[in-house]
Amino acid sequence: MTDAPLVLGIETSCDETGVGIVRGHELLADAVASSVDEHARFGGVVPEVASRAHLEAMVPTIERACETAGIRPSDVDAIAVTSGPGLAGALLVGVAAAKALAIGLDKPLYGVNHLAAHVAVDQLEHGALPEPCVAMLVSGGHSSLLRVTDVTGADGGVDPMGATIDDAAGEAFDKVARLLGLPFPGGPHIDRAAREGSSVYVDFPRGLTSRRDLERHRFDFSFSGLKTAVARWVEARERSGEPVPVADVAASFQEAVCDVLVRKALDAASSEGIEDLLIGGGVAANSRLRHLAEERAAKLGIRVRVPRPGLCTDNGAMVAALGAEMVARGRTPSPLDLPADSSLPVTEVLV
């Protein structure tokens, strides 16, 4: 596919500076500079620290991506950048860098939605997206269910079915990890600890799954109550002077999260008569979530697509992948006064 669009994508929505280069559905480079270690001592992402880290990492990361791909910046057909949602200051760094490249190289600019990019990145691994499909995006800031008929957002192509109403899954992982004395970010550490524990040791609640909740919030998520239940259980254990079985609590908590996520995602797909479920976002790297989704989906005749873990977390490749799709489908580029929008709705895929 030598005639496929060559696109450079920039991602700076949170704590990772990502620069990806793709040609159509082929990944040529995926350079990431993470500032996670700088945030770990605070137990969470500090926006000002993230913004400063993006400033320092931007040029070296672009240079590294171009070197890996074996191209010059002037070779690209377009520049794509995450315009939102995310941390306002962090987004501004990426948007400013993308504008500078677009002006300096005289290339079209595409400001894209971070969540839709998490959907588009799967094309780099499994080829063209089945449309329609149901996409479940699970990360530190988002737990969303989307009906996708056009990943570029044309004609209402990305339609929200459900979202988190309080803590997203990734936030819950981070907070429970802190309760258990595990490092930040919590997801990988809980996943690792859970392998040594029992998933039925504690029967933690499954949020928004009662009959009454399903009437109003069938495809929505809530993990705040689960996080509180874990905290209360741990506090009671500590008050009684008993040791906290970290592996068992981690496994039981993880099971509750994954059970709800998979249950609602498959219900959404079944309700729409859609046979393809795509899972993206940082929590999609969780081993239990991947296994449970594939196991239950197989019984319903639903196909599951999950990118490899390195493409689930925030990265520039996903932005480049969506940008390449914009070019291929002839979408009009963004204006050069493109804003950074920290609360960009998922229905607005191209800004």
Side-chain angles (χ1 to χ4, degrees), residues 5-88:
L6 179 66
V7 177
L8 183 148
I10 297 174
E11 154 62 26
T12 62
S13 65
C14 192
D15 60 341
E16 285 161 325
T17 308
V19 178
I21 298 172
V22 307
R23 190 186 295 279
H25 295 165
E26 180 188 0
L27 177 60
L28 303 181
D30 181 24
V32 178
S34 177
S35 60
V36 67
D37 292 342
E38 297 174 50
H39 303 285
R41 61 196 175 103
F42 300 106
V45 176
V46 180
E48 292 81 359
V49 173
S51 300
R52 174 64 61 182
H54 289 311
L55 278 170
E56 294 172 353
M58 183 58 65
V59 172
T61 309
I62 290 173
E63 290 175 343
R64 183 154 49 96
C66 289
E67 184 179 347
T68 301
I71 68 158
R72 297 167 300 177
S74 57
D75 294 333
V76 303
D77 297 310
I79 308 294
V81 64
T82 298
S83 187
L87 302 174

Side-chain angles (χ1 to χ4, degrees), residues 243-311:
V244 175
V246 172
D248 292 323
V249 175
S252 299
F253 160 75
Q254 178 176 267
E255 191 69 16
V257 173
C258 295
D259 178 28
V260 171
L261 289 172
V262 172
R263 194 188 305 187
K264 290 193 175 239
L266 293 177
D267 183 27
S270 298
S271 73
E272 294 289 315
I274 292 174
E275 297 179 346
D276 292 278
L277 170 66
L278 186 148
I279 306 176
V283 180
N286 182 274
S287 62
R288 181 58 180 158
L289 177 62
R290 297 163 85 97
H291 174 78
L292 202 60
E294 289 170 3
E295 181 181 64
R296 292 185 183 174
K299 296 174 183 176
L300 298 173
I302 294 174
R303 295 177 290 270
V304 176
R305 290 168 52 132
V306 192
R308 62 181 179 272
L311 293 179

Side-chain angles (χ1 to χ4, degrees), residues 108-128:
L109 173 67
Y110 293 86
V112 302
N113 191 295
H114 177 85
L115 298 181
H118 272 303
V119 177
V121 74
D122 188 71
Q123 298 186 135
L124 302 180
E125 193 154 8
H126 300 120

